[in-house]
Amino acid sequence: YGPLGRVEALPTGLTPGQREAAEALLASRDFLSALVGDAGTGKTTLLKALETAHRAYRGTEFLALAPTT
């Protein structure tokens, strides 16, 4: 598996923590990655940013699963 997307395609406005997590996830070559965080920490914003970077790089669908309790 190749990288999920390109860091350069990440939108501006991410917090330093979101950007760090996004960069790590984009560089991952794992088949499946998990993002865990407390409520209100910006996980949804981060997933949208990852989708943007992925679509810019690969031009394909991006499926983010976000279960709630």
Side-chain angles (χ1 to χ4, degrees):
Y1 300 100
L4 182 62
R6 295 205 188 275
V7 172
E8 301 83 32
L10 285 171
T12 60
L14 295 177
T15 67
Q18 288 171 324
R19 185 159 190 89
E20 182 180 348
E23 289 176 5
L25 289 166
L26 289 175
S28 174
R29 294 182 179 271
D30 294 335
F31 178 74
L32 176 72
S33 295
L35 173 66
V36 179
D38 293 329
T41 57
K43 294 177 302 296
T44 300
T45 300
L46 175 57
L47 287 175
K48 288 178 184 176
L50 288 174
E51 179 180 24
T52 298
H54 175 73
R55 286 181 179 265
Y57 178 56
R58 298 219 181 224
T60 58
E61 292 293 318
F62 180 89
L63 178 61
L65 304 176
T68 60
T69 56

